[in-house]
Amino acid sequence: MIIDTNVYVGQWPFRRLPGSALPELIAKLQSHGVTEAWAGSFEGVLQEDVAGVNERLAAACHGSGSGLLIPFGTVNPALPDWRDDLRRCHEEHKMPGIRLHPSYHGYTLDDPRFAELLLLAAERSVAVQVVLNMEDERTQHPLAAVKEVNTLPLLRLIFKTKGLRLMIQNRKREPSGKLLGRLSYAGEVYFDFAMLEGVGAIPKLLKEIPSDRLLFGSHHPFFYFESALLKVKEAGLNESQENAILSENASLILGP
Amino acid sequence: MIWDLHVHFTSFEGRTPHEKMADAVKFADRMGIERFMLFLGFPPHPPDPTPEELTRINDQVLEALQHWHHRAFGFVYLNPNHLDFSLKEFDRCVRDGPMVGVKLWIARRCNTAELDPIIERAAAMNAVIFQHTWLKVTGNQPGECTPSELSELAARHPETPIICGHTGGDWEHGIRAIRANKNVSIGIGGSDPTNGFVEMAVRELGPERVIYGSDAGGRSFASQLAKVHGARIPEPDKQLIFGENLKRMLAPILKRKGMAA
């Protein structure tokens, strides 16, 4: 059983990703034993009609896959009236979480609007995913090249935001060193390993963060789903550790 | 059968080549990799190595092969900026030693004439030639060549098989750049496991020109194996990519040296 916390629906604007059509995506996930997939929208990365993006995401997730896809809506605090997007995600679409793309939406994590968004999400018990990267900086489309999100401001915000459940996705280099460990102990902060590289990267990460803070995230269909799956195999973990990462840790996040 | 085209000592634990190889083989066994090609010595890797540095680096690989020749083949690291020395180093490590290929990295752009004698020397011995390529939106390093520059080199040596390392990183560009050079195969390692890479490569180049490699230990074996395991291509194509293509490419030099595959 796998809970994949990092899946996308829709079309990535710069590349046709095989198997991204909804029926194929669902079949692929189910074939690997995924029982829940937390899905954001590729459309939310660049489009400004976020309300429309979230309506389509909710319809796609609720209309197919027998509950497999759990929608994580887009909120862009750099847009006017973003608070209503959060409200709609929560009240109208019953989304348990939101997914943020700060680098593509043009704000940094020390932006006061971001701090307010975390606060409002926490008050609503809406989980927050912050995506640090979508792909290797070196291979981005030259007209849409962004940098990895700087996570340094997060530590202060986590201390200030009671009830926040925060997932850091697609971490490559940042946060690192002491900040990585401090973030994971400061509050309810989780990480996935979709973009983590290097042989045996998962065991190395588990020396820095508690094992209950690591989540399975594939970044599929942008990445081949098998990448995350094989990283778990490469890690050589015991059964208890594997089960925690594959599903048990995530299963505790979206509860009441 | 999985053979890995592209492995370094980087990130493997151990103080000696033997210890690092033991760690690499532990992971390779876990992931079903039977053999791998090893090149460059202990990091950091000098981008424009002196003759002394080349000797030290290649000696580390030779030392690793002493104990692990049943699991790895070695490629000699050469620098066209030190051409005379590099030709002698080729003779030491390949002609007279156990290595079976050549690794060219970022010392000099690969379309320059200084590479020609190295290519000719390697071709004469049927040594496999691996040239690093990247095309970075963030900017290449001074001597770092692109797949288009490799295409120029390959066009001057149309009968010599050459591997385009990393497929340029920007593989959609890289595949197109070398598509017309029938003597060029691509190494798919050392980039993100982006969905669609191998499908496009097989569609545009045919499965015989696509070779699995990881760039481990800087990359995980897992993410790079996933490019083939996850690709929507026929199973026989996967077998070619995972090992048969590389084995076919190595066969002449292994036969010449009397080495077992």
Side-chain angles (χ1 to χ4, degrees):
Chain A
M1 186 174 102
I2 296 173
I3 296 177
D4 189 341
T5 63
N6 185 356
V7 166
Y8 281 86
V9 301
Q11 279 298 319
W12 178 242
F14 303 107
R15 181 178 298 118
R16 183 80 180 180
L17 299 166
S20 55
L22 208 52
E24 290 178 87
L25 177 70
I26 289 167
K28 175 79 175 181
L29 294 170
Q30 288 177 331
S31 75
H32 285 289
V34 175
T35 53
E36 232 178 79
W38 301 358
S41 171
F42 280 136
E43 291 183 343
V45 176
L46 290 180
Q47 295 185 18
E48 291 199 325
D49 177 13
V50 166
V53 167
N54 288 333
E55 276 187 21
R56 289 189 292 279
L57 175 66
C61 292
H62 295 146
S64 50
S66 305
L68 174 77
L69 299 172
I70 310 295
F72 273 57
T74 298
V75 177
N76 177 357
L79 287 174
D81 202 23
W82 59 266
R83 294 168 192 82
D84 199 55
D85 289 322
L86 176 64
R87 183 195 65 76
R88 292 190 202 190
C89 284
H90 183 219
E91 295 178 10
E92 295 182 10
H93 303 310
K94 311 299 181 196
M95 294 174 175
I98 55 174
R99 186 171 293 176
L100 311 180
H101 298 91
S103 52
Y104 286 90
H105 292 168
Y107 63 92
T108 54
L109 302 193
D110 56 3
D111 189 314
R113 295 170 296 186
F114 175 68
E116 185 187 352
L117 173 53
L118 293 187
L119 197 64
L120 294 177
E123 284 174 3
R124 290 177 176 274
S125 291
V126 169
V128 178
Q129 296 182 325
V130 177
V131 182
L132 303 189
N133 300 278
M134 289 299 286
E135 64 177 311
D136 189 328
E137 283 177 14
R138 300 170 296 177
T139 60
Q140 297 177 100
H141 192 286
L143 300 181
V146 299
K147 295 202 176 301
E148 182 168 31
V149 175
N150 180 352
T151 54
L152 193 58
L154 277 178
L155 192 59
R156 182 178 57 83
L157 294 171
I158 290 163
F159 281 123
K160 280 176 58 177
T161 314
K162 296 280 183 283
L164 176 66
R165 286 166 295 154
L166 182 70
M167 288 165 263
I168 296 175
Q169 296 187 304
N170 292 349
R171 166 183 172 264
K172 286 176 85 79
R173 292 180 299 276
E174 297 294 334
S176 60
K178 287 181 181 173
L179 178 61
L180 176 62
R182 290 184 71 187
L183 278 174
S184 61
Y185 285 98
E188 203 173 331
V189 181
Y190 301 86
F191 300 86
D192 74 5
F193 50 86
M195 287 199 174
L196 206 56
E197 276 294 350
V199 162
I202 289 177
K204 287 174 186 166
L205 180 60
L206 289 177
K207 290 178 181 171
E208 306 291 332
I209 67 170
S211 59
D212 62 353
R213 297 304 168 87
L214 190 59
L215 307 175
F216 184 91
S218 68
H219 196 35
H220 185 68
F222 198 111
F223 281 2
Y224 289 109
F225 179 84
E226 286 78 0
S227 175
L229 202 57
L230 289 168
K231 283 178 186 173
V232 177
K233 179 181 179 183
E234 187 178 279
L237 305 171
N238 63 40
E239 190 179 349
S240 165
Q241 291 172 310
E242 261 195 33
N243 290 338
I245 291 169
L246 291 176
S247 64
E248 288 171 4
N249 292 342
S251 71
L252 300 173
I253 297 176
L254 299 188
Chain B
M1 178 193 77
I2 301 177
W3 282 21
D4 191 316
L5 169 69
H6 191 165
V7 171
H8 306 300
F9 286 124
T10 313
S11 296
F12 292 113
E13 293 185 3
R15 294 160 300 171
T16 66
H18 174 71
E19 289 178 358
K20 283 183 176 289
M21 278 296 292
D23 196 44
V25 167
K26 178 187 76 178
F27 282 106
D29 284 346
R30 195 176 286 165
M31 304 310 291
I33 295 164
E34 189 181 309
R35 276 187 188 259
F36 53 84
M37 311 302 116
L38 178 71
F39 38 88
L40 300 183
F42 287 10
H45 303 128
D48 187 12
T50 64
E52 292 74 24
E53 286 171 327
L54 286 172
T55 302
R56 175 178 55 79
I57 288 164
N58 291 323
D59 280 350
Q60 289 169 343
V61 175
L62 288 168
E63 187 179 337
L65 295 177
Q66 283 178 3
H67 296 280
W68 296 99
H69 52 84
H70 59 300
R71 298 301 301 271
F73 292 119
F75 284 19
V76 64
Y77 180 30
L78 302 178
N79 180 353
N81 292 331
H82 301 286
L83 182 56
D84 289 343
F85 176 82
S86 285
L87 294 174
K88 288 176 189 162
E89 187 69 350
F90 176 89
D91 289 346
R92 179 177 80 97
C93 296
V94 179
R95 189 193 68 189
D96 306 326
M99 294 196 190
V100 296
V102 171
K103 159 74 172 187
L104 294 162
W105 196 32
I106 58 173
R108 175 177 285 264
R109 298 252 176 176
C110 69
N111 57 348
T112 55
E114 284 74 9
L115 268 77
D116 290 339
I118 293 175
I119 302 300
E120 288 159 9
R121 183 73 61 99
M125 277 290 295
N126 304 116
V128 172
I129 300 163
F130 181 101
Q131 170 66 62
H132 166 103
T133 67
W134 256 92
L135 180 62
K136 299 169 181 167
V137 170
T138 50
N140 278 21
Q141 296 185 64
E144 189 171 30
C145 71
T146 66
S148 295
E149 289 165 335
L150 178 67
S151 172
E152 293 177 40
L153 176 72
R156 295 203 301 270
H157 304 274
E159 304 302 320
T160 304
I162 300 175
I163 296 172
C164 177
H166 302 282
T167 321
D170 178 351
W171 44 269
E172 286 154 313
H173 191 107
I175 289 168
R176 294 177 63 89
I178 57 85
R179 184 166 55 186
N181 302 97
K182 303 300 183 194
N183 55 325
V184 176
S185 299
I186 58 167
I188 64 170
S191 59
D192 280 351
T194 306
N195 189 5
F197 179 174
V198 170
E199 286 90 335
M200 178 184 172
V202 168
R203 186 187 75 220
E204 295 299 323
L205 306 177
E208 294 82 6
R209 292 173 63 188
V210 184
I211 300 176
Y212 159 74
S214 61
D215 203 3
R219 291 275 176 178
S220 73
F221 286 119
S223 63
Q224 308 303 302
L225 288 165
K227 293 175 181 173
V228 187
H229 282 304
R232 291 164 185 249
I233 57 173
E235 194 58 34
D237 290 359
K238 292 185 181 182
Q239 295 310 311
L240 287 170
I241 296 166
F242 266 141
E244 290 174 19
N245 289 336
L246 181 56
K247 198 170 185 178
R248 185 184 67 245
M249 196 175 274
L250 282 164
I253 192 167
L254 295 181
K255 184 179 178 188
R256 177 191 285 265
K257 286 171 163 284
M259 294 167 72

